[in-house]
């Protein structure tokens, strides 16, 4: 049931959506009912020792349903779309080979796009340009570099956070090297894939709900993370020798707690800004997924109709 019309094409369910909307709970139910295993599509859950701030599934959830691509690299390792594609491809082939159904679950739209549509090769970034942009970030700060990105590549600027130093510098490096915006390379890849046989046959689901409900969920989840010990988790990471400038520790929540620990913000300010930036990130995620015409939209409370839609799709696939 997990193979499509072509012997080389894998069926899979994609469950996407903004942070905080409840993907974990719904994915567990889908996996249990459909005989599936979960492949994480989260760019931060790949890191070990970063549990609370990434809202990783707990031991009980991982015991109920097999999870892949969680806790696979250390925080000082470099993880990107290319590595995700390789790791996810292996996991999907393994799951399918055992007669199970892969469920790709998460909110990193670039990972989804890269896996399902491929990625266009981007010119190698010369070391001098990499160092130049890195120095500009240090000297000028994220805000100034983000304004520059808005001018040269507004499409990419719209999909990343002003605080996402890793992707911000990456976008500027690509433009500095090639004279072309990152978004052009992504659009090119989409056109190229139309001419090629695709490796995956996905049924794409995205969760959404009223904006005020989502934002309230995010605000409450932020406070729960603090109560569970996010500050202590960050202290532990720093004590282990992981530097605050690592891309992993520049992610939402970790960056905010580092700023609190370094005395840049007080505790209430750090929490408020963490919640605000999480809300903004959720908005960007929804904007990204809304551009995909193949996505089927459901509310988190519509579990039954979501399951029925997935089952109906599976029945139509070739055994």
């Amino acid at each position: 049931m997990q193979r499509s019309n072509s012997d080389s094409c894998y069926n899979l369910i994609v469950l996407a959506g903004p942070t905080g909307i409840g993907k974990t709970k719904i994915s567990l139910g889908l996996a249990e009912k459909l005989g599936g295993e979960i492949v994480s599509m989260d760019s931060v859950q790949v890191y070990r020792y970063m549990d609370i701030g990434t809202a990783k599934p707990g031991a009980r959830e991982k015991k109920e349903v097999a999870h892949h691509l969680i806790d696979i690299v250390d925080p000082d390792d470099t993880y990107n779309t290319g590595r995700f594609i390789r790791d996810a491809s292996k996991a999907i082939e393994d799951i399918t080979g055992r007669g199970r159904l892969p469920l790709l679950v998460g909110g990193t739209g670039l990972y989804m796009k890269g896996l399902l549509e491929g990625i266009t090769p981007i010119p190698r970034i010369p070391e001098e340009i990499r160092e130049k942009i890195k120095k500009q970030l240090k000297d000028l700060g994220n805000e100034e570099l983000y304004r520059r990105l808005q001018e040269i590549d507004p499409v990419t600027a719209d999909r990343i956070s002003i605080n996402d130093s890793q992707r911000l510098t990456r976008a500027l490096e690509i433009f500095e090297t090639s004279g072309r915006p990152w978004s052009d390379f992504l659009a090119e890849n989409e056109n190229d894939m139309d001419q090629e046989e695709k490796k995956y046959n996905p049924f794409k689901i995205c969760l959404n709900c009223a904006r005020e409900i989502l934002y309230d969920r995010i605000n409450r989840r932020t406070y729960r993370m603090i109560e569970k010990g996010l500050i202590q988790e960050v202290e532990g990471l720093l004590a282990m020798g992981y530097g605050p400038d690592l891309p992993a520790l520049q992610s939402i929540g970790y960056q905010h707690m580092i700023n609190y620990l370094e005395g840049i913000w007080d505790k209430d300010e750090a929490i408020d800004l963490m919640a605000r930036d999480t809300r903004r990130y959720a908005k960007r995620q929804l904007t990204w997924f809304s551009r995909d015409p193949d996505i089927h939209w459901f509310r988190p409370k519509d579990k039954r109709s979501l399951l029925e839609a997935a089952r109906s799709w599976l029945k139509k696939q070739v055994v």
Side-chain angles (χ1 to χ4, degrees):
M1 181 176 67
Q2 280 69 46
R3 300 305 286 269
S4 186
N5 296 336
S6 168
D7 287 340
S8 61
C9 192
Y10 296 89
N11 290 330
L12 70 153
I13 303 286
V14 179
L15 179 62
T19 184
I21 200 161
K23 295 184 293 294
T24 297
K25 185 176 181 179
I26 290 178
S27 68
L28 291 169
L30 279 176
E32 183 182 356
K33 298 288 196 308
L34 300 176
E37 297 182 15
I38 292 171
V39 179
S40 173
M41 187 176 67
D42 188 292
S43 61
V44 192
Q45 289 187 356
V46 294
Y47 295 108
R48 302 183 184 100
Y49 320 121
M50 299 175 63
D51 303 329
I52 298 171
T54 63
K56 283 178 188 169
R60 180 179 60 82
E61 287 87 354
K62 287 188 283 188
K63 186 177 180 180
E64 291 176 2
V65 174
H67 285 69
H68 304 262
L69 274 56
I70 292 177
D71 293 332
I72 59 173
V73 295
D74 289 336
D76 58 354
D77 201 350
T78 299
Y79 201 83
N80 53 33
T81 305
R83 287 190 67 178
F84 169 78
I85 292 170
R86 291 192 295 273
D87 292 341
S89 296
K90 290 178 183 177
I92 290 168
E93 291 173 19
D94 173 62
I95 294 166
T96 304
R98 290 184 282 104
R100 307 281 287 171
L101 175 70
L103 277 76
L104 191 66
V105 180
T108 306
L110 191 59
Y111 281 8
M112 181 184 81
K113 183 179 179 67
L115 178 70
L116 301 181
E117 301 177 10
I119 53 176
T120 298
I122 292 172
R124 185 185 68 82
I125 308 298
E127 190 59 32
E128 58 269 24
I129 289 180
R130 197 180 303 279
E131 290 300 320
K132 176 184 174 181
I133 301 298
K134 184 178 180 180
K135 186 176 186 301
Q136 289 176 349
L137 178 67
K138 182 178 180 180
D139 294 343
L140 303 175
N142 287 56
E143 189 172 338
E144 178 60 33
L145 265 61
Y146 188 76
R147 277 199 293 266
R148 186 182 305 172
L149 182 61
Q150 288 177 311
E151 293 175 1
I152 62 175
D153 190 358
V155 173
T156 297
D158 186 51
R159 71 173 176 81
I160 69 173
S161 167
I162 190 173
N163 297 315
D164 190 342
S165 300
Q166 182 180 17
R167 290 184 176 84
L168 177 57
T169 55
R170 178 66 169 162
L172 293 173
E173 288 168 358
I174 290 170
F175 186 82
E176 184 85 8
T177 300
S178 67
R180 299 174 58 201
W182 192 2
S183 55
D184 273 9
F185 288 97
L186 295 176
E188 260 183 20
N189 178 74
E190 189 171 344
N191 293 333
D192 290 344
M193 285 297 293
D194 289 338
Q195 310 301 322
E196 301 176 7
E197 181 180 353
K198 296 188 178 181
K199 184 176 182 180
Y200 300 105
N201 177 39
F203 181 67
K204 293 188 275 189
I205 297 166
C206 191
L207 302 176
N208 196 7
C209 62
R211 192 63 54 89
E212 61 270 18
I213 295 175
L214 175 60
Y215 285 177
D216 180 63
R217 289 175 64 103
I218 288 171
N219 293 339
R220 287 187 285 111
R221 191 177 76 156
T222 299
Y223 282 100
R224 284 199 304 272
M225 286 180 174
I226 301 300
E227 292 170 358
K228 288 180 177 179
L230 177 58
I231 296 172
Q232 292 74 24
E233 181 170 89
V234 174
E235 287 177 324
L237 287 161
L238 297 175
M240 292 169 70
Y242 295 114
D245 294 328
L246 289 172
L249 294 184
Q250 288 293 304
S251 55
I252 292 177
Y254 294 92
Q255 177 196 54
H256 296 78
M257 294 307 109
I258 287 172
N259 285 347
Y260 160 62
L261 292 170
E262 292 183 345
I264 298 172
W265 299 329
D266 63 33
K267 184 176 180 180
D268 288 341
E269 185 178 15
I271 295 171
D272 288 344
L273 290 173
M274 176 180 166
R276 181 203 68 181
D277 290 343
T278 307
R279 294 192 301 270
R280 289 178 175 177
Y281 177 52
K283 184 178 179 180
R284 289 193 301 276
Q285 287 175 300
L286 286 168
T287 299
W288 174 283
F289 292 123
S290 69
R291 297 189 181 115
D292 190 332
D294 297 325
I295 279 180
H296 302 264
W297 293 86
F298 290 89
R299 294 175 298 178
K301 65 180 182 179
D302 295 333
K303 298 181 184 67
R304 180 174 297 179
S305 55
L306 189 158
L307 175 61
E308 289 173 354
R311 278 178 169 160
S312 176
W313 177 81
L314 282 169
K315 286 178 181 178
K316 295 176 184 177
Q317 309 314 304
V318 175
V319 176

